[in-house]
PDB file of all heavy atoms in Angstrom:
ATOM      1  N   VAL A 112      94.555  36.233   2.941  1.00 98.00           N
ATOM      2  CA  VAL A 112      95.881  35.907   3.512  1.00 98.00           C
ATOM      3  C   VAL A 112      96.335  37.028   4.474  1.00 98.00           C
ATOM      4  O   VAL A 112      96.817  36.783   5.572  1.00 98.00           O
ATOM      5  CB  VAL A 112      96.936  35.703   2.389  1.00 98.00           C
ATOM      6  CG1 VAL A 112      98.362  35.647   2.963  1.00 98.00           C
ATOM      7  CG2 VAL A 112      96.611  34.368   1.715  1.00 98.00           C
ATOM      8  N   ARG A 113      96.135  38.265   4.027  1.00 98.00           N
ATOM      9  CA  ARG A 113      96.583  39.413   4.902  1.00 98.00           C
ATOM     10  C   ARG A 113      95.785  39.422   6.224  1.00 98.00           C
ATOM     11  O   ARG A 113      96.349  39.578   7.294  1.00 98.00           O
ATOM     12  CB  ARG A 113      96.331  40.767   4.159  1.00 98.00           C
ATOM     13  CG  ARG A 113      97.413  40.993   3.109  1.00 98.00           C
ATOM     14  CD  ARG A 113      97.340  42.411   2.530  1.00 98.00           C
ATOM     15  NE  ARG A 113      98.043  42.422   1.275  1.00 98.00           N
ATOM     16  CZ  ARG A 113      97.500  42.231   0.084  1.00 98.00           C
ATOM     17  NH1 ARG A 113      96.149  42.107  -0.024  1.00 98.00           N
ATOM     18  NH2 ARG A 113      98.166  42.215  -0.999  1.00 98.00           N
ATOM     19  N   ALA A 114      94.495  39.201   6.121  1.00 98.00           N
ATOM     20  CA  ALA A 114      93.663  39.222   7.329  1.00 98.00           C
ATOM     21  C   ALA A 114      94.001  38.061   8.265  1.00 98.00           C
ATOM     22  O   ALA A 114      94.169  38.213   9.451  1.00 98.00           O
ATOM     23  CB  ALA A 114      92.187  39.165   6.944  1.00 98.00           C
ATOM     24  N   TYR A 115      94.197  36.878   7.649  1.00 98.00           N
ATOM     25  CA  TYR A 115      94.537  35.698   8.438  1.00 98.00           C
ATOM     26  C   TYR A 115      95.896  35.858   9.104  1.00 98.00           C
ATOM     27  O   TYR A 115      96.056  35.513  10.288  1.00 98.00           O
ATOM     28  CB  TYR A 115      94.570  34.512   7.492  1.00 98.00           C
ATOM     29  CG  TYR A 115      95.041  33.209   8.157  1.00 98.00           C
ATOM     30  CD1 TYR A 115      94.123  32.372   8.846  1.00 98.00           C
ATOM     31  CD2 TYR A 115      96.364  32.819   8.178  1.00 98.00           C
ATOM     32  CE1 TYR A 115      94.515  31.224   9.468  1.00 98.00           C
ATOM     33  CE2 TYR A 115      96.790  31.649   8.810  1.00 98.00           C
ATOM     34  CZ  TYR A 115      95.906  30.874   9.435  1.00 98.00           C
ATOM     35  OH  TYR A 115      96.301  29.734  10.074  1.00 98.00           O
ATOM     36  N   ALA A 116      96.849  36.388   8.368  1.00 98.00           N
ATOM     37  CA  ALA A 116      98.226  36.567   8.918  1.00 98.00           C
ATOM     38  C   ALA A 116      98.171  37.573  10.115  1.00 98.00           C
ATOM     39  O   ALA A 116      98.841  37.338  11.093  1.00 98.00           O
ATOM     40  CB  ALA A 116      99.169  37.035   7.845  1.00 98.00           C
ATOM     41  N   ALA A 117      97.367  38.602   9.968  1.00 98.00           N
ATOM     42  CA  ALA A 117      97.305  39.613  11.043  1.00 98.00           C
ATOM     43  C   ALA A 117      96.729  38.945  12.321  1.00 98.00           C
ATOM     44  O   ALA A 117      97.313  39.172  13.425  1.00 98.00           O
ATOM     45  CB  ALA A 117      96.448  40.772  10.627  1.00 98.00           C
ATOM     46  N   ARG A 118      95.742  38.134  12.163  1.00 98.00           N
ATOM     47  CA  ARG A 118      95.154  37.429  13.344  1.00 98.00           C
ATOM     48  C   ARG A 118      96.184  36.465  13.937  1.00 98.00           C
ATOM     49  O   ARG A 118      96.360  36.349  15.133  1.00 98.00           O
ATOM     50  CB  ARG A 118      93.894  36.657  12.965  1.00 98.00           C
ATOM     51  CG  ARG A 118      92.718  37.544  12.552  1.00 98.00           C
ATOM     52  CD  ARG A 118      91.406  36.731  12.529  1.00 98.00           C
ATOM     53  NE  ARG A 118      91.453  35.664  11.573  1.00 98.00           N
ATOM     54  CZ  ARG A 118      91.095  35.739  10.290  1.00 98.00           C
ATOM     55  NH1 ARG A 118      90.799  36.912   9.768  1.00 98.00           N
ATOM     56  NH2 ARG A 118      91.111  34.685   9.510  1.00 98.00           N
ATOM     57  N   THR A 119      96.889  35.756  13.069  1.00 98.00           N
ATOM     58  CA  THR A 119      97.834  34.750  13.523  1.00 98.00           C
ATOM     59  C   THR A 119      99.009  35.375  14.249  1.00 98.00           C
ATOM     60  O   THR A 119      99.419  34.887  15.291  1.00 98.00           O
ATOM     61  CB  THR A 119      98.341  33.895  12.317  1.00 98.00           C
ATOM     62  OG1 THR A 119      97.234  33.336  11.686  1.00 98.00           O
ATOM     63  CG2 THR A 119      99.269  32.755  12.801  1.00 98.00           C
ATOM     64  N   LEU A 120      99.469  36.498  13.754  1.00 98.00           N
ATOM     65  CA  LEU A 120     100.564  37.192  14.358  1.00 98.00           C
ATOM     66  C   LEU A 120     100.224  37.636  15.808  1.00 98.00           C
ATOM     67  O   LEU A 120     101.063  37.607  16.747  1.00 98.00           O
ATOM     68  CB  LEU A 120     101.003  38.423  13.615  1.00 98.00           C
ATOM     69  CG  LEU A 120     101.943  38.207  12.431  1.00 98.00           C
ATOM     70  CD1 LEU A 120     102.303  39.528  11.771  1.00 98.00           C
ATOM     71  CD2 LEU A 120     103.268  37.467  12.870  1.00 98.00           C
TER      72      LEU A 120
END
Side-chain angles (χ1 to χ4, degrees):
V112 167
R113 284 189 199 93
Y115 175 87
R118 293 194 299 276
T119 304
L120 277 181

